[in-house]
């Protein structure tokens, strides 16, 4: 199976992605349209993403909990814009235990409402604040057009929900979580992202302010890779989440929510992958290195296997996630292709000559062919491998950043803007008017991705209407 080539990215990016997901054994289609089976290799990647994020959440004082999958339908209806935003995507349970239910239940599309209900009971005084809870779960949104990892009916994610005494504290929390997502994307996933604010039309249903991180995929399109919402007092009013302040006055809380999902796996694939398959950033890769032995005779097999086991033991002791591929009946060439498809950052080859010289061959996944190969003495493997993994991590980031920079334009007029969003991002002045945003979307299919947190300053004129503008925004076609 792995000997068949993928379609090239240039020829058919979408089909390249679909086949890669299946052949790298990350995920599979499910009997229900739009659902996804996450295979063990994909789940191992997700577990590493989870651990990376969870560590950051806990370091900033958050704790995990679990809230129910089923939500009374009336809960969703309590917050007006929330119900308007989510109604078309709801899956509703009408029967249980063979009986029609008195009140239909919805399968959570997100948990603001049920958590708001609990917070109203748990929070009484300013001493109870802030409440900083996260949950790892899956949610269901009835999407019409689906694609593995990027958009599925059920997806896995984390959703953080916090309650605070003041607007300022809630805003600081919202921004802190945006920074955490940015730090994770850049440092662990080697994905350059633009942290920014969403325009009103792209906000989460029920939020006062939505922030996101936006990344450029290998075809120049944008992917929203994580979001953080300042919900103001909207949910606190709808669910009566109140506290007694220090002066004995009853106040509504200020709440936030923030999430990152299995969609992020799609970003890793589309940012780093090449025509041979997946390339995983070493910090998140389930296997950071794979050892493949090369032999012809039984004697050579015994010798290379002994050396390979020794190297594996050394690397495991050094904390490297390494796997030894001793599958019978597959040629080294087949195994090379197979692990290239699965994106293992480093391959370690050991043949009879290497055994004789007590060396190993290290082959980088991100640099195919001779250029990516180096030869090191077996006894230096525990220093050479971590050094090389760090170099791969760094080089993946730099390559992705160079690609993004090379495909981001600052168009001088609307004509240039239109051609810019055909190949990548356009960074343009925007007057703040949703009419301009809407016209741009209808005419070019590009949406306003975000107004970056770091604005270059100064002022200019709106790329669409020519009116004075004080903010610059990224526009792009998006997943
Ligand atoms: Zn305008």
């Amino acid at each position: 199976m792995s000997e068949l080539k993928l379609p090239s990215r240039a020829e058919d990016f979408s089909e390249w992605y679909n086949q890669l997901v299946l052949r790298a054994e990350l995920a599979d289609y499910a009997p229900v349209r739009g659902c996804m089976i996450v295979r063990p290799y994909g789940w191992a990647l997700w577990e590493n993403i989870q651990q990376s994020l969870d560590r950051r959440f806990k370091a900033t004082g958050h704790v995990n909990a679990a809230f129910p999958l089923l939500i009374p339908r009336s809960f969703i209806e309590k917050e007006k814009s929330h119900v308007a935003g989510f109604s078309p995507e709801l899956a509703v349970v009408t029967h249980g235990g063979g009986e029609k239910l008195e009140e239909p239940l919805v399968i959570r599309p997100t948990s603001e409402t049920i958590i708001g209900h609990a917070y109203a009971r748990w929070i009484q005084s300013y001493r109870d604040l802030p409440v900083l809870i996260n949950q790892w779960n899956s949610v269901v949104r009835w999407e019409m057009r689906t694609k593995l990892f990027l958009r599925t009916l059920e997806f896995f994610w984390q959703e953080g929900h916090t309650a605070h005494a003041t607007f300022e504290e809630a805003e600081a929390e919202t921004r802190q979580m945006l920074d955490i997502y940015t730090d994770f994307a850049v440092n662990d996933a080697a994905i350059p992202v633009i942290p920014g604010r969403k325009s009103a039309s792209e906000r989460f249903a029920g939020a006062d302010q939505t922030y996101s991180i936006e990344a450029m995929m290998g075809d120049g399109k944008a992917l929203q890779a994580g979001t953080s919402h300042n919900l103001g007092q909207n949910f606190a009013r709808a669910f009566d989440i109140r506290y007694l302040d220090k002066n004995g006055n009853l106040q509504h809380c200020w709440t936030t929510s923030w999430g990152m999902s299995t969609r992020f796996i799609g970003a890793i694939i589309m940012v780093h992958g090449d025509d041979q398959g997946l390339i995983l950033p070493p910090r998140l890769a389930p296997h950071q290195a794979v050892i493949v032995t090369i032999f012809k005779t039984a004697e050579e097999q015994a010798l290379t296997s002994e050396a390979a086991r020794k190297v594996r033991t050394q690397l495991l002791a050094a904390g490297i996630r390494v796997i030894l591929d001793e599958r019978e009946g597959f040629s080294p060439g087949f195994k090379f292709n197979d692990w290239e498809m699965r994106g293992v950052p480093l391959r370690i080859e050991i043949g009879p000559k290497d055994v004789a010289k007590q060396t190993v061959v290290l082959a980088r996944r991100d640099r195919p062919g001779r250029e990516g190969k180096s030869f090191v003495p077996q006894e230096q493997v525990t220093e050479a491998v971590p050094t090389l993994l760090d170099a791969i991590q760094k080089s993946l980031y730099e390559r992705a950043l160079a690609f993004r920079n090379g495909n981001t334009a600052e168009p001088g007029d609307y004509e240039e803007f239109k051609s810019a969003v055909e190949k990548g991002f356009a960074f343009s002045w925007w007057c703040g008017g949703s009419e301009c945003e809407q016209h741009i979307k209808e005419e070019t299919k590009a949406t306003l991705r975000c107004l970056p947190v770091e604005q270059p300053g100064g002022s200019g004129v709106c790329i669409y209407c020519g009116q004075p503008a004080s903010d610059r925004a990224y526009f792009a076609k998006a997943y």
Side-chain angles (χ1 to χ4, degrees), residues 186-204:
V186 168
N187 291 307
D188 288 354
I191 296 180
V193 292
I194 300 158
R197 183 163 51 89
K198 287 286 191 187
S199 63
S201 70
E202 300 279 336
R203 260 177 222 152
F204 175 75

PDB file of all heavy atoms in Angstrom, residues 186-204:
ATOM      1  N   VAL A 186       3.830  27.502  17.883  1.00  0.00           N
ATOM      2  CA  VAL A 186       5.166  27.887  17.418  1.00  0.00           C
ATOM      3  C   VAL A 186       6.230  26.917  17.940  1.00  0.00           C
ATOM      4  O   VAL A 186       7.032  26.382  17.176  1.00  0.00           O
ATOM      5  CB  VAL A 186       5.486  29.339  17.860  1.00  0.00           C
ATOM      6  CG1 VAL A 186       6.950  29.671  17.656  1.00  0.00           C
ATOM      7  CG2 VAL A 186       4.595  30.316  17.093  1.00  0.00           C
ATOM      8  N   ASN A 187       6.218  26.676  19.238  1.00  0.00           N
ATOM      9  CA  ASN A 187       7.328  25.927  19.836  1.00  0.00           C
ATOM     10  C   ASN A 187       7.203  24.418  19.777  1.00  0.00           C
ATOM     11  O   ASN A 187       8.208  23.725  19.672  1.00  0.00           O
ATOM     12  CB  ASN A 187       7.533  26.380  21.282  1.00  0.00           C
ATOM     13  CG  ASN A 187       8.058  27.801  21.318  1.00  0.00           C
ATOM     14  OD1 ASN A 187       9.056  28.121  20.678  1.00  0.00           O
ATOM     15  ND2 ASN A 187       7.360  28.676  22.028  1.00  0.00           N
ATOM     16  N   ASP A 188       5.988  23.889  19.836  1.00  0.00           N
ATOM     17  CA  ASP A 188       5.853  22.430  19.802  1.00  0.00           C
ATOM     18  C   ASP A 188       5.444  21.909  18.429  1.00  0.00           C
ATOM     19  O   ASP A 188       5.878  20.845  18.016  1.00  0.00           O
ATOM     20  CB  ASP A 188       4.850  21.961  20.862  1.00  0.00           C
ATOM     21  CG  ASP A 188       5.435  22.097  22.276  1.00  0.00           C
ATOM     22  OD1 ASP A 188       6.627  22.442  22.387  1.00  0.00           O
ATOM     23  OD2 ASP A 188       4.697  21.877  23.248  1.00  0.00           O
ATOM     24  N   ALA A 189       4.597  22.666  17.723  1.00  0.00           N
ATOM     25  CA  ALA A 189       4.132  22.180  16.423  1.00  0.00           C
ATOM     26  C   ALA A 189       4.939  22.774  15.268  1.00  0.00           C
ATOM     27  O   ALA A 189       4.744  22.394  14.120  1.00  0.00           O
ATOM     28  CB  ALA A 189       2.650  22.497  16.238  1.00  0.00           C
ATOM     29  N   ALA A 190       5.837  23.706  15.572  1.00  0.00           N
ATOM     30  CA  ALA A 190       6.667  24.362  14.545  1.00  0.00           C
ATOM     31  C   ALA A 190       5.813  25.048  13.477  1.00  0.00           C
ATOM     32  O   ALA A 190       6.161  25.091  12.300  1.00  0.00           O
ATOM     33  CB  ALA A 190       7.642  23.371  13.911  1.00  0.00           C
ATOM     34  N   ILE A 191       4.651  25.553  13.904  1.00  0.00           N
ATOM     35  CA  ILE A 191       3.738  26.240  12.976  1.00  0.00           C
ATOM     36  C   ILE A 191       3.679  27.726  13.310  1.00  0.00           C
ATOM     37  O   ILE A 191       3.228  28.091  14.399  1.00  0.00           O
ATOM     38  CB  ILE A 191       2.317  25.629  13.034  1.00  0.00           C
ATOM     39  CG1 ILE A 191       2.355  24.174  12.551  1.00  0.00           C
ATOM     40  CG2 ILE A 191       1.334  26.456  12.213  1.00  0.00           C
ATOM     41  CD1 ILE A 191       1.002  23.477  12.563  1.00  0.00           C
ATOM     42  N   PRO A 192       4.136  28.589  12.402  1.00  0.00           N
ATOM     43  CA  PRO A 192       4.006  30.025  12.654  1.00  0.00           C
ATOM     44  C   PRO A 192       2.535  30.415  12.589  1.00  0.00           C
ATOM     45  O   PRO A 192       1.820  29.984  11.679  1.00  0.00           O
ATOM     46  CB  PRO A 192       4.790  30.665  11.508  1.00  0.00           C
ATOM     47  CG  PRO A 192       4.910  29.630  10.453  1.00  0.00           C
ATOM     48  CD  PRO A 192       4.739  28.292  11.090  1.00  0.00           C
ATOM     49  N   VAL A 193       2.075  31.179  13.549  1.00  0.00           N
ATOM     50  CA  VAL A 193       0.661  31.579  13.562  1.00  0.00           C
ATOM     51  C   VAL A 193       0.559  33.081  13.797  1.00  0.00           C
ATOM     52  O   VAL A 193       1.469  33.698  14.346  1.00  0.00           O
ATOM     53  CB  VAL A 193      -0.163  30.839  14.653  1.00  0.00           C
ATOM     54  CG1 VAL A 193      -0.298  29.364  14.333  1.00  0.00           C
ATOM     55  CG2 VAL A 193       0.433  31.034  16.040  1.00  0.00           C
ATOM     56  N   ILE A 194      -0.577  33.631  13.365  1.00  0.00           N
ATOM     57  CA  ILE A 194      -0.851  35.042  13.605  1.00  0.00           C
ATOM     58  C   ILE A 194      -1.946  35.118  14.660  1.00  0.00           C
ATOM     59  O   ILE A 194      -3.080  34.718  14.403  1.00  0.00           O
ATOM     60  CB  ILE A 194      -1.307  35.741  12.312  1.00  0.00           C
ATOM     61  CG1 ILE A 194      -0.209  35.634  11.255  1.00  0.00           C
ATOM     62  CG2 ILE A 194      -1.652  37.201  12.586  1.00  0.00           C
ATOM     63  CD1 ILE A 194      -0.704  35.803   9.846  1.00  0.00           C
ATOM     64  N   PRO A 195      -1.601  35.594  15.874  1.00  0.00           N
ATOM     65  CA  PRO A 195      -2.642  35.783  16.880  1.00  0.00           C
ATOM     66  C   PRO A 195      -3.348  37.105  16.629  1.00  0.00           C
ATOM     67  O   PRO A 195      -2.701  38.127  16.382  1.00  0.00           O
ATOM     68  CB  PRO A 195      -1.867  35.809  18.207  1.00  0.00           C
ATOM     69  CG  PRO A 195      -0.442  36.086  17.866  1.00  0.00           C
ATOM     70  CD  PRO A 195      -0.258  35.941  16.381  1.00  0.00           C
ATOM     71  N   GLY A 196      -4.674  37.059  16.659  1.00  0.00           N
ATOM     72  CA  GLY A 196      -5.402  38.302  16.391  1.00  0.00           C
ATOM     73  C   GLY A 196      -6.850  38.231  16.829  1.00  0.00           C
ATOM     74  O   GLY A 196      -7.322  37.217  17.345  1.00  0.00           O
ATOM     75  N   ARG A 197      -7.531  39.342  16.570  1.00  0.00           N
ATOM     76  CA  ARG A 197      -8.919  39.526  16.959  1.00  0.00           C
ATOM     77  C   ARG A 197      -9.790  39.270  15.738  1.00  0.00           C
ATOM     78  O   ARG A 197      -9.434  39.673  14.639  1.00  0.00           O
ATOM     79  CB  ARG A 197      -9.036  40.972  17.429  1.00  0.00           C
ATOM     80  CG  ARG A 197     -10.328  41.465  17.954  1.00  0.00           C
ATOM     81  CD  ARG A 197     -10.072  42.776  18.749  1.00  0.00           C
ATOM     82  NE  ARG A 197      -9.282  43.776  18.007  1.00  0.00           N
ATOM     83  CZ  ARG A 197      -9.803  44.706  17.198  1.00  0.00           C
ATOM     84  NH1 ARG A 197     -11.099  44.749  16.973  1.00  0.00           N
ATOM     85  NH2 ARG A 197      -9.024  45.588  16.590  1.00  0.00           N
ATOM     86  N   LYS A 198     -10.935  38.631  15.944  1.00  0.00           N
ATOM     87  CA  LYS A 198     -11.873  38.404  14.846  1.00  0.00           C
ATOM     88  C   LYS A 198     -12.755  39.636  14.639  1.00  0.00           C
ATOM     89  O   LYS A 198     -13.032  40.370  15.594  1.00  0.00           O
ATOM     90  CB  LYS A 198     -12.772  37.202  15.176  1.00  0.00           C
ATOM     91  CG  LYS A 198     -12.059  35.848  15.081  1.00  0.00           C
ATOM     92  CD  LYS A 198     -11.846  35.467  13.644  1.00  0.00           C
ATOM     93  CE  LYS A 198     -11.392  34.038  13.478  1.00  0.00           C
ATOM     94  NZ  LYS A 198     -11.025  33.745  12.079  1.00  0.00           N
ATOM     95  N   SER A 199     -13.231  39.815  13.413  1.00  0.00           N
ATOM     96  CA  SER A 199     -14.209  40.872  13.169  1.00  0.00           C
ATOM     97  C   SER A 199     -15.546  40.414  13.749  1.00  0.00           C
ATOM     98  O   SER A 199     -15.729  39.226  14.037  1.00  0.00           O
ATOM     99  CB  SER A 199     -14.344  41.102  11.661  1.00  0.00           C
ATOM    100  OG  SER A 199     -14.836  39.929  11.051  1.00  0.00           O
ATOM    101  N   ALA A 200     -16.484  41.361  13.903  1.00  0.00           N
ATOM    102  CA  ALA A 200     -17.778  41.040  14.519  1.00  0.00           C
ATOM    103  C   ALA A 200     -18.476  39.877  13.812  1.00  0.00           C
ATOM    104  O   ALA A 200     -19.060  39.006  14.449  1.00  0.00           O
ATOM    105  CB  ALA A 200     -18.669  42.272  14.526  1.00  0.00           C
ATOM    106  N   SER A 201     -18.378  39.821  12.482  1.00  0.00           N
ATOM    107  CA  SER A 201     -19.119  38.792  11.751  1.00  0.00           C
ATOM    108  C   SER A 201     -18.500  37.399  11.909  1.00  0.00           C
ATOM    109  O   SER A 201     -19.164  36.400  11.639  1.00  0.00           O
ATOM    110  CB  SER A 201     -19.212  39.148  10.274  1.00  0.00           C
ATOM    111  OG  SER A 201     -17.942  39.034   9.682  1.00  0.00           O
ATOM    112  N   GLU A 202     -17.267  37.328  12.326  1.00  0.00           N
ATOM    113  CA  GLU A 202     -16.608  36.026  12.483  1.00  0.00           C
ATOM    114  C   GLU A 202     -16.539  35.588  13.947  1.00  0.00           C
ATOM    115  O   GLU A 202     -15.916  34.580  14.274  1.00  0.00           O
ATOM    116  CB  GLU A 202     -15.177  36.085  11.910  1.00  0.00           C
ATOM    117  CG  GLU A 202     -15.092  36.426  10.421  1.00  0.00           C
ATOM    118  CD  GLU A 202     -15.357  35.221   9.509  1.00  0.00           C
ATOM    119  OE1 GLU A 202     -15.158  34.087   9.947  1.00  0.00           O
ATOM    120  OE2 GLU A 202     -15.785  35.447   8.368  1.00  0.00           O
ATOM    121  N   ARG A 203     -17.169  36.355  14.837  1.00  0.00           N
ATOM    122  CA  ARG A 203     -17.135  36.016  16.260  1.00  0.00           C
ATOM    123  C   ARG A 203     -17.919  34.758  16.598  1.00  0.00           C
ATOM    124  O   ARG A 203     -18.889  34.441  15.932  1.00  0.00           O
ATOM    125  CB  ARG A 203     -17.740  37.168  17.068  1.00  0.00           C
ATOM    126  CG  ARG A 203     -16.716  38.060  17.696  1.00  0.00           C
ATOM    127  CD  ARG A 203     -17.404  39.220  18.419  1.00  0.00           C
ATOM    128  NE  ARG A 203     -16.656  40.445  18.157  1.00  0.00           N
ATOM    129  CZ  ARG A 203     -17.171  41.659  18.154  1.00  0.00           C
ATOM    130  NH1 ARG A 203     -18.457  41.832  18.382  1.00  0.00           N
ATOM    131  NH2 ARG A 203     -16.410  42.699  17.909  1.00  0.00           N
ATOM    132  N   PHE A 204     -17.537  34.129  17.696  1.00  0.00           N
ATOM    133  CA  PHE A 204     -18.266  32.996  18.271  1.00  0.00           C
ATOM    134  C   PHE A 204     -19.658  33.464  18.688  1.00  0.00           C
ATOM    135  O   PHE A 204     -19.815  34.596  19.182  1.00  0.00           O
ATOM    136  CB  PHE A 204     -17.472  32.497  19.485  1.00  0.00           C
ATOM    137  CG  PHE A 204     -18.133  31.408  20.279  1.00  0.00           C
ATOM    138  CD1 PHE A 204     -18.165  30.108  19.805  1.00  0.00           C
ATOM    139  CD2 PHE A 204     -18.681  31.685  21.527  1.00  0.00           C
ATOM    140  CE1 PHE A 204     -18.748  29.102  20.562  1.00  0.00           C
ATOM    141  CE2 PHE A 204     -19.271  30.681  22.288  1.00  0.00           C
ATOM    142  CZ  PHE A 204     -19.303  29.386  21.802  1.00  0.00           C
TER     143      PHE A 204
END
